[in-house]
Amino acid sequence: VRFDHSSLLNRPIGSSGLPWHAHSHTGDDDGLGPTTEHNGLQLVRTLLYPHGSSPTDGGSFKLIPGAHLLREIERWRGFDPADSSCSSWLRSQRHPVTGNPLTIKELTLPKGSMISFHHHMPHDVSPRMQGGTRKALLLSYREIDPAGILRSRSRGVPQAWLEELPAAQRAIFDEF
């Protein structure tokens, strides 16, 4: 594996969160675009929460373990477990390996927590309504692309900083 990209996630009070989604990884896709194709390369996302996060402090992180094996990335955009068709679908699904029913896990993350998950794992970040800014560091690692086709820019470097650099220096960041 190699480092792919990073991002600082600061969610202030009033942040809308991010509804149910999963990420594809076919180039520079951030997982929110229209691409649902799976290129066969595996990517692991790791979130570090220095101050923790929990439903009681106005922020929750939810995921559906095992659903990443279904490779139905498009299903998670607009997924709403309160909708009867979504909840009915979820109740009918089984983990492809264990055979256990798929269920939503809502996590309480104490200070200093780290969670790693597969990029196809459906997850949801609730709106931040109280408790101050929720901070997280996202680190993503993926298999090396043997064909050398995929290239990602490190999202740990703000775009505005990159735009201030001369073109020759900016190109260096295309290697990360």
Side-chain angles (χ1 to χ4, degrees):
V1 297
R2 74 167 179 88
F3 174 77
D4 189 70
H5 65 275
S6 67
S7 185
L8 296 173
L9 306 172
N10 297 316
R11 310 280 191 223
I13 293 174
S15 166
S16 62
L18 200 54
W20 284 100
H21 65 286
H23 301 268
S24 65
H25 204 266
T26 56
D28 209 23
D29 176 29
D30 64 4
L32 301 176
T35 304
T36 58
E37 178 184 333
H38 176 49
N39 62 17
L41 298 177
Q42 305 303 311
L43 183 123
V44 173
R45 295 176 184 270
T46 298
L47 287 167
L48 306 165
Y49 286 93
H51 304 292
S53 183
S54 73
T56 57
D57 73 2
S60 94
F61 184 84
K62 297 183 261 320
L63 45 80
I64 305 174
H68 64 292
L69 297 170
L70 302 175
R71 301 277 188 239
E72 295 181 311
I73 299 167
E74 65 281 356
R75 172 174 298 285
W76 309 111
R77 292 184 184 94
F79 181 78
D80 179 1
D83 178 282
S84 62
S85 64
C86 291
S87 60
S88 174
W89 176 88
L90 187 60
R91 281 193 308 273
S92 71
Q93 297 301 305
R94 300 265 178 203
H95 190 290
V97 176
T98 67
N100 295 330
L102 292 184
T103 58
I104 295 172
K105 303 288 184 191
E106 185 171 28
L107 304 178
T108 295
L109 303 167
K111 290 181 180 181
S113 290
M114 175 178 86
I115 179 169
S116 294
F117 58 99
H118 191 277
H119 63 292
H120 286 112
M121 176 88 61
H123 54 285
D124 170 90
V125 181
S126 68
R128 187 70 172 178
M129 303 313 290
Q130 61 190 27
T133 300
R134 176 178 52 226
K135 297 177 177 133
L137 173 63
L138 169 70
L139 300 171
S140 294
Y141 301 87
R142 74 170 156 89
E143 285 183 276
I144 295 172
D145 178 11
I149 295 169
L150 296 181
R151 294 171 55 145
S152 295
R153 171 172 289 138
S154 170
R155 291 175 182 88
V157 179
Q159 187 66 31
W161 295 2
L162 291 172
E163 291 169 359
E164 293 175 8
L165 294 174
Q169 290 178 338
R170 192 172 33 230
I172 293 169
F173 289 96
D174 287 336
E175 298 301 317
F176 294 100

